[in-house]
Every structure is written in structure tokens, then in C-alpha cells.
Amino acid sequence: MTYPSFIRNFCIIAHIDHGKSTLADRFIQKTGVVSDREFMNQMLDSMDIERERGITIKSQAVTMPYTAKDGQTYTLNLVDTPGHVDFTYEVSRAISSCEGALLLIDATQGIEAQTLSNLFLAMEHDLTIIPVINKVDLPSADIPGTREQIERDLGLDGDLAIPISAKTGLGVEDLLEAIVQQIPAPKDTNDLPLQANIFDSHYDPYRGVIIHVRIFQGKLRVGQTIRLMHSNAEYKVEQVGRFQLKLVETGELTAGEVGYLIAGIKSISDVRVGDTITDKVNPCPAPLPGFKIVKPVVFSSIYPVATEQFEELAEAMDKLKLNDASLIFEKDSSTALGVGFRCGFLGLLHLEVTQERIEREFDLNIVLTSPSVSYRLTDKKGEVFMLDNPAHFPDPSQIEKAEEPVIKAQIITPKEYVGSIMTLCMGKRGIQENMQYLDTKRVEMYFIMPLSEILFDFYDKLKSVSRGYASFDYVEAGFQETNLVKLDILLNGEKVDALSQLVHKDSAYDRAREICERLRHEIPKHQFKIPIQGAIGNTIIARETISALRKDVTAKCYGGDITRKKKLLEKQKEGKKRMKMVGNVELPQSAFLAVLKTGENKND
């Protein structure tokens, strides 16, 4: 048993690319969790996608033994957190399991948008915050300037910020000491009834669901019968232990500890992240506060390329849901693509990551429809309903009012890019709400913008116009009235429901023209001409044509009168007309993906 006074539970929070995963690597090395021979970069980023993109998607936990300068050995429980705006829910779950947080700030870039939002998240949970200045080994590091920003922008004592280089290991020993000295120990509540928080889980094909827990009070032992308070499911505990990169069995977890439990749980739906675990015989009086079901903001449908793989996709979605609490889905069907799932995501990056995980981890080929947000419609009878699927868009004559979700966007940028960022945001129907100079070099801007406008290429364009220096964060800000239309895409005169989109009327023409042009490059030539049309109702607003694949029917015609060749060409023309009537256009998977990606150069 580890006494609570020798336990420290903390997380690392920061803006994307400020060095969280690198600092976690140094901690793992310094505390000897792995030998130098076994070490590799991004130890806590277990997914290939995380390594390739250089981002953290899943929050991970690791228990590290650390012998401090006072001679005592402490148990440090680190939960690594994501930094991208799409994964704020992961950050909040990690924070709820800790007593302290390291607020990591890049000395070369200073405080950015998500540094602020993550700090407020930590303050809401009443965490002890240790400011840390990273990347001090770089020539462009501005340590005094960063200390000033910490005092002015965050309201923390800049002089107490610990300068480190996570890459070289400089200052990491001092930081480990600060964790022991400044972060409070958990309360000693071993005598109270069991109360544990589920902050994550993953699926093992042999052991079932492996639950990641933080024990707030009481003890968790092998053989104990537990109850999950929100789902009311009961299980007998088979194994408990700690995370030391691998699962290390301990037989018991006590108050203040972070670890895992296995109870032969095969029903994935029983386990919900944020749920409270208690003892069946001696339950705690109430579940832990803060449990909520996350609201998705982006919707898209996922279909298997081969319709017979639907059952495999259903199983994959269930397993992914277990490991990704923010993924929401329900059964859906399309005349073009068959049966699939309508899914809710936290953002476009979340959508891309989910798609890649399904394809890699479950070896399935899938097709995604164009992302959409959830609109609020009021019909002529005064009834209000939510709509996120273009296929369910009612007759426009029945709609009294359409409203779209809006966000309050916070952008922090060097002052020289203010003009180009204003142009970008206003081009996306943004309204500037506020602008202030944080110092002589940096400007903070606030815009009210429709969420649908930032779905596709806003983030990429923002990075492009600011040369990568602008940082972006947003919060939901309710609904505003909009002029909503349904854009249909027709191939050879037939509507393809999977390519339909809900768009603002002013941008419908540009969007239709872009989709038609993209499809012209993606759809292979057939034996007949294929018209690609964008339409609003019965009005065609854009058109591209794929020319026919011409077979030289006159190749075998040697000599003779010209009328012989004309006769053959006329016969071919008649055949092509007939083919056009019965011809079925084959859509490759890349055609659906092309509609998702906008603003890139297209070449014939």
C-alpha cells in the first residue's frame, strides 16, 4: 500500500506543439520507468496516427517512482493530455483525476489561445498550477518576455515559472522537485466506502474492457463486487494494477492512486467515461460530480465500401466508442451507399482521426459523407427541431425560420497579420467583436462566426495567412438566423444523396462549382458523357461534364467511301445514347474524400 501523503497526481496542459509529449518522455527516463535501451520518443503516444502527426489524441496515464532530495520515494501519477481544440473533452477528463497541473509555455511562441482556455479549465477544478517555460535551449527563446506574459495574461507569478528544456533534459530535476513540494497529496480516505472515477477505458480482445480509474476514497481489491453508478451494472473484479507503460498487477488500489481494473466486462455499453465506481455491499452515498455526455458539433455519415462489412463496422464503432468517449453515432442509410452510421464529432480533426483509426485498427475501407453542423429549424406550425442530416431536409416552403450554430473565436496573432486575418474571418461571415493589444507585438481578436464556416479549410488558411504564428480557440455561442439551402449533386441526372450538403445561400454557387470541378477530376471516364450538376431544388447552379471515353470504331475501316466511316460513327452514337439511358456511373472512394477537402490545387 502507498500512503496518500507520498502520492502526487498531476497532468500537463498546454497549447498544441508546446512540448507536452517530450516532457513526459523526460519524466519517464529520469524516473527509470524504462531503460535507455527500451526508450523511444513519444512514449505515451501509443497510436501510429499520434506519432505521424506529432499530436496527442488520447490522454494516457503512467505511474512513476521518484526519490526526492528529502530521501523519500514518491509515486508520481502523470496523465498526458491532448492540446488540439477538438480534444478539450479529453483534457477535462484528465484534469478531474488530478490535484495539480503543469502549465507548459513555449519560450519561443509565448502564451497562445489554448494555453488560456486550458488554464481556466484547471482553475475550475481548483488545481494547483505550476507554470513551466519550455524550449529555453533554443536561440529564439525569450524567457524574460514569457515571464512577463505569465504575470500579465495569466495572473500567475512569473518569477516562480520553472525554465526547462524538455528536449535536452535541462531543469527537469528541478521540476520533479517542484511537483513533490507544491502539488498537494490526495486526502487519506481509505476508511470510507469506495468511490472511483472512470477517466478512460480501452478494449482487450481477451480480457474485455480495461477501465482506467482514479480512486478518490476507499480501496479497490481483487474479488470485490463493484457497481457502476450510472449504468447500474455489477461486476466482480478480476485484476487491478498500475500503468507503468505496461499493465503492472498490484492486487489493490487505495485512495489517491491511479490505475486500472479488469472485471471481465464484455458489454461495452455498460462502461461510460466519467461514471463512478462503488462497492456493491457498502456503496458511497453519491456519484462524483461533473459527469456529462459531450455534445458533438460536426456530423458525418460513415459507410463501409463493401456493404457486407456492415457488421464489422458496427463492431469497430462500438470498440472505438469505448476508447473515445466523445464519439456519438446512430444507424443511418443511403440509397447510394447502403447502411452505415450517422456520427457526431468534436471537430474536423476528430473526424479525420476516427476515419484513420477505423481503417488502420480494424482494416476496413469506409466512405464519409460531407461534414455538417446541427441546424435549428422552426416550421410553419411553430414546432422547433434539430437537423444535422441533409437527407432529412424538409420542403423549404414548410420552414418558417432556420438557425445555425455560431462560435466565439479567439485568435492571438503577431500584429503584422491582423489585416489578412480580418479579411479571412469576414470572408467566412465573421463579425469582429473585440480586439486588444496584449503587448507591443501580439494582438488578441474575437470574432462571432458560423460554425459551418470553420469546418473545412479555415484552420489551414489561418495558419497560411499568419505563416503559422496565429493561434486559434473557440467556444460555442448559441444560434443565429441564416438563409439555409440544400445543395444537391446530380450525376447523369440522378441525385447522389451522400453528396448533398446544407449550405448558406450566398456560398452555395461557389461550393457547387468547386464540388463539380473536383468530381470531374475524380470520376473515371465512361463510354458516354457524364454531366455533373449542382442544384438547389430544381435550379441547376453549376455544371461540369466528363467527356466520353472514345473508342476508334473506324480503325478497321480501310479505304472505301467516307460514308462507310460515317455509318460506323452514327451506329456508335446511337449505342452511346442507349448506354447513357441505362448507364450507371461508378463513384470511386476518392470522389467522396475529394468533396471533404477544399482549397487545394487541382490538376487535370
Side-chain angles (χ1 to χ4, degrees), residues 496-510:
V496 182
D497 59 346
L499 295 177
S500 296
Q501 296 185 15
L502 296 172
V503 294
H504 189 269
K505 193 173 182 179
D506 293 349
S507 57
Y509 169 69
D510 289 335

Side-chain angles (χ1 to χ4, degrees), residues 7 76 104 144 211 213 249 286 332 410 414 439 507 570:
I7 297 172
L76 307 183
L104 204 59
I211 300 175
V213 290
E249 197 171 347
D332 191 23
Q410 176 198 29
D439 51 40
S507 57
E570 286 297 322

Side-chain angles (χ1 to χ4, degrees), residues 12-66:
I12 306 172
I13 54 175
H15 189 79
I16 189 168
D17 200 29
H18 277 210
K20 296 179 298 300
S21 297
T22 312
L23 180 57
D25 288 347
R26 291 295 83 73
F27 283 155
I28 289 165
Q29 271 188 309
K30 294 275 184 189
T31 55
V33 174
V34 293
S35 64
D36 289 342
R37 187 173 62 83
E38 295 173 304
F39 179 79
M40 61 179 178
N41 287 329
Q42 287 178 264
M43 288 294 291
L44 294 186
D45 290 348
S46 54
M47 283 189 255
D48 291 341
I49 307 166
E50 293 179 312
R51 294 178 177 283
E52 286 168 20
R53 291 175 178 244
I55 58 171
T56 301
I57 295 162
K58 288 297 304 164
S59 55
Q60 301 283 335
V62 62
T63 300
M64 304 173 290
Y66 172 66

Side-chain angles (χ1 to χ4, degrees), residues 264-333:
I265 303 170
K266 297 293 182 185
S267 177
I268 291 168
S269 57
D270 284 352
V271 180
R272 297 178 82 170
V273 170
D275 203 346
T276 302
I277 293 175
T278 191
D279 186 71
K280 180 192 172 183
V281 181
N282 182 22
C284 60
L288 290 159
F291 174 73
K292 63 175 183 178
I293 296 169
V294 69
K295 286 183 183 175
V297 293
V298 177
F299 298 86
S300 177
S301 293
I302 293 178
Y303 299 94
V305 172
T307 49
E308 64 270 15
Q309 287 189 317
F310 173 73
E311 290 301 325
E312 291 173 52
L313 178 62
E315 194 179 327
M317 295 296 286
D318 275 338
K319 288 178 180 174
L320 209 58
K321 166 75 177 169
L322 183 72
N323 196 234
D324 182 357
S326 43
L327 177 66
I328 289 169
F329 60 90
E330 61 184 18
K331 206 169 175 182
D332 191 23
S333 63

Side-chain angles (χ1 to χ4, degrees), residues 194 207 219-227 234-241 249-253 260-264 278-281:
L194 174 66
R207 308 300 304 271
K219 294 178 182 178
L220 181 67
R221 292 191 179 97
V222 172
Q224 190 174 0
T225 302
I226 55 166
R227 180 160 63 87
E234 293 178 359
Y235 292 97
K236 189 174 181 180
V237 179
E238 296 173 3
Q239 184 181 323
V240 295
E249 197 171 347
T250 59
E252 180 183 69
L253 287 173
Y260 71 91
L261 77 89
I262 297 171
T278 191
D279 186 71
K280 180 192 172 183
V281 181

Side-chain angles (χ1 to χ4, degrees), residues 121-151:
L121 209 56
M123 284 176 164
E124 278 175 31
H125 287 81
D126 204 24
L127 265 58
T128 299
I129 295 155
I130 302 175
V132 182
I133 301 171
N134 191 20
K135 304 189 184 180
V136 297
D137 58 311
L138 297 179
S140 56
D142 180 11
I143 301 169
T146 308
R147 288 191 194 277
E148 273 181 41
Q149 287 180 26
I150 290 169
E151 291 205 5

Side-chain angles (χ1 to χ4, degrees), residues 342-386:
R342 187 72 179 168
C343 305
F345 304 95
L346 301 180
L348 214 59
L349 177 69
H350 187 203
L351 182 152
E352 284 180 32
V353 165
T354 303
Q355 177 199 347
E356 285 193 43
R357 288 187 69 188
I358 291 170
E359 289 178 345
R360 291 185 190 198
E361 294 174 26
F362 304 99
D363 198 25
L364 290 169
N365 282 327
I366 55 170
V367 167
L368 278 88
T369 61
S370 295
S372 165
V373 297
S374 188
Y375 294 92
R376 188 164 68 189
L377 303 184
T378 308
D379 63 17
K380 297 283 187 185
K381 297 174 186 172
E383 290 179 14
V384 179
F385 60 96
M386 302 303 289

